[in-house]
Amino acid sequence: MWWPDVRRTKSSAVAKLLGAVTILLAMGFVAVAGVGGWLYWDRTELRGEQVARDELEPLAAQQIPKVFGYDYQTVERSLNEVYPLLTPDYRQEFRGPREQGHHPAGA
C-alpha cells in the first residue's frame, strides 16, 4: 500500500503559503508607495500653485496697466517701455505695421 509522504505535502503547503504572503506583501508595498507618491505629488502641485498665485497677483496688478493703459499721445514711447513685458505672440501683435514689413497704402 502506498502512503503519501506527509513531510512533502506539508513543505509544499508551507511553500505555497509563503509565496502567497510574499506576493501580498509586495502588492501592499506597491499600493502604499503609489498612495504616498500621489499624496506627495498632490501636495507639491498645490504648493506650486499657491506660490505662483502669490507671486503673480502683485506682478500682474503692476504690469497689466502698463501694457493696456498707454497714453495715446505717447504711444511709441509707451509701447517701447512695455515691449519687454510682452510674450513673443503679443510682441508680434503689438508691433507697428512698418516693423512687420507692411506699409499703409499711399505712404
Side-chain angles (χ1 to χ4, degrees), residues 45-56:
E45 190 175 33
L46 287 175
R47 212 179 271 162
E49 289 174 2
Q50 185 61 42
V51 167
R53 194 176 303 118
D54 292 344
E55 290 180 10
L56 289 179

Side-chain angles (χ1 to χ4, degrees), residues 1 16 23 30 32 37-38 42-44 48-49 60-62 64-65 68 74 77-80 89-90 96 103 106-107:
M1 189 172 191
K16 286 181 182 180
I23 289 172
V30 168
V32 168
W38 176 72
D42 190 49
R43 187 181 73 227
T44 301
E49 289 174 2
Q62 174 193 11
I64 287 176
F68 295 110
T74 59
R77 188 182 67 196
S78 297
L79 288 179
N80 288 336
D89 290 340
Y90 274 134
H103 298 287

Side-chain angles (χ1 to χ4, degrees), residues 5 12-13 15 21 24 51 58 60 63 69 72-73 77 88 97 99-101:
D5 189 3
S12 175
V21 168
L24 285 175
V51 167
Q63 293 183 357
Y72 74 94
Q73 295 173 342
R77 188 182 67 196
E99 290 181 32
Q100 292 179 357

